[in-house]
Amino acid sequence: MKKIPIIFSLIFISNIHSQSIVNERAKWFVSDRFGMFIHWGLYSGAEGIWKGEKVRYDNDYAEWIQYRNQIEKNEYIGLSKRLDWKKIDPEQWVLLAKKAGMKYITITAKHHDGFALWNSKSSNYNVYNYSNPKRDIMKELSEACKKHGIKLGFYYSHWTDWEHQYSWDNSKEIFWLSSKEYDRYWQEKVIPQMKELLSNYGEISLIWFDMWLHHDETIVTKKQLIQLKKLIRSMQPNCLINSRLGLSMEEDADVDFRTLGDNELGKYKYDYPWQTPATVAHSWGYNSNENKWKSTTSILKSLIGNVSLNGNLMLNIGPNSNGSVPYEIIKRFDETGNWLNFYGKSVYNSGAFDLRNDLHDWGLTTYKKDKNGKHYVFLNIFDTNPGKILKFTGITESPQNVNLLSKKSKINLEFSFNKAVISLKIPEKLPDPYVNVVELEFDNKPEVDVKLVAEKKYGGRSLNYLNTITYQDKSLMNKSERYGSVPPNIEIKDSLNMKWKIFVDKPSVYNLDTSYNFQKKITDAFLSIKINDKYFKHNFCYTGKTVGEPNQNWIIDRFNSFRLGQIKFEFPGYYIIEMKIKTNPQNPIKWQWLWMGKI
Ligand code: JFZ
């Protein structure tokens, strides 16, 4: 029998890579960028509390309350009486999505509890039988979506179902199922219900499955998954399927977009469509115990951050027992929608630009070519000094126009261009309290130099293992440890050469510092730097130990900064910084960065 890990925190997604190009089907998806997730069902009646007790377990997802608090089915179904059928109004959810600037909705048509939110002919365990008056929530929602021009998708928990006798109920490690029994669940519930969802609710834009393991590690078979996929393709050929279907790329590359982990924002640029499912607090279903809300700025940063890497954001609401959404969410959604009203061109139909997305510390860039053939690079500014100069490094031709977007009209910005740096004068008063957007307009797609290391907001450059000229194998980097008290570093056991390229736009003087950890008291390990014809040499010194967390017995190797000297650039231009580190396997060095601090 296949073994299934049961502990939630140990679960991670099988990294299913979807298609490597955007197919016709997914064109709308990569243009829309922002969607709404809705978790609502019987669990919403509990609101995160059962018999006076909070939802159990550290990962206290409120929609898991039946499983976590061990609620019997006959008691759990009683929650349908707590749901306030007079007040519940799915159209309100659609209007909220619209107001927030979201273009599509995915709702939990059936979550793990197995309860269908529509009038299902294949299972009595559905909302039509347990609402008063009888309701088909999916019908109402699909009509409201149609009315307001929002695309609709269904979340369907295929692998897990806590209701059906022969389904996977997350406790079956104790009472195993035979594959034959499981297939009964599949053929009696999953397939017929999927047929209903694809027949009776108009056009369905996507089906969102939720299996976070590869099928090899579950009771589900490849055959069953392919049956499901074929059914969708035959009934609604335009409907997208996400990667949590549970097949791997090698077996079947035909999934439409990749789903990252819950609240896992993008780190890398992908060419294929992908999406982060995210919450505003923590739970997906309504949880009355929660009060840590992400700010509007952080929501916008998550959205823009994903778009800057060709990804989408799907942000969740968990309406409560009367179908209403917490004020804190409404407020943030209003603010987000309001922002998108004015600055949405940086998000909708935009994607990654050709430069590294972490190049600048003032914000992130997005890019689009518009209908008229103009090219726009959007500078989404999170952090800048009003009245000061903001520098954009990496584009090697001058924009035709530079505008600061605002609610009234565009503000033409003064700028200067010098070979690879565009300098903008940021006004004293910025138009937006969250994220300001500057658009650089070009007639052609601008040429870039991807190798340059940009200046930080306060001047200076951090040269490290990841922003060298030559490709570096990222996997060799040691990640930060112990809550970041040990910073990311590269361990050098023999020798390593690195090279960086910078552009200096004005004559200037820099201090050169380097940071590392070295635990030996010898002198045959050294570093040398060459810039033009100037050399800097440094013998690695013993950096010793430090306490990682005050008043705790937590002693770590120390990373310390050392001054190497000063370098003067008399002329503007491109410069190469070359660094050599030499040591031997007995004396490894953990090297962190070279800092060029502007004086
Ligand atoms: C799943 C559900 O269990 C949860 O209730 C919610 O619907 C969420 C959107 O999806 O939870 C997951 C799924 C995948 C991971 C973590 C939680 N994962 O891959 O890390």
Side-chain angles (χ1 to χ4, degrees), residues 524-549:
D524 69 347
F526 67 90
L527 169 158
S528 83
I529 287 179
K530 178 175 179 281
I531 306 174
N532 281 356
D533 46 8
K534 211 168 163 190
Y535 285 87
F536 300 85
K537 272 211 183 299
H538 174 79
N539 290 323
F540 284 107
C541 314
Y542 172 65
T543 56
K545 308 275 179 189
T546 186
V547 175
E549 183 65 14

Side-chain angles (χ1 to χ4, degrees), residues 8 11-14 37 39 59 61 63-64 108 111-112 155 208 210-212 244 260-262 264 277 284:
F8 213 77
I11 286 165
F12 48 91
I13 43 163
S14 49
F37 211 171
H39 275 69
N59 187 345
Y61 279 172
E63 70 281 6
W64 275 68
T108 50
H111 202 259
H112 304 335
Y155 170 114
W208 211 95
D210 198 3
M211 183 154 96
W212 50 84
R244 286 194 198 171
L260 301 197
D262 298 6
E264 184 197 352
W284 300 86

Side-chain angles (χ1 to χ4, degrees), residues 34-38 90-106 141 145 148-151 315 317 325 333-334 336-337 340 348:
F34 193 30
M36 175 185 269
F37 211 171
I38 305 177
E91 188 175 9
Q92 293 306 316
W93 307 337
V94 178
L95 290 171
L96 180 60
K98 202 159 170 113
K99 226 172 156 197
M102 295 156 163
K103 307 288 188 189
Y104 56 99
I105 288 179
T106 304
L141 185 71
C145 280
H148 298 290
I150 297 279
K151 295 180 196 80
L315 196 57
I317 60 168
V325 175
F333 278 29
D334 280 355
T336 302
L340 283 164
Y348 302 126

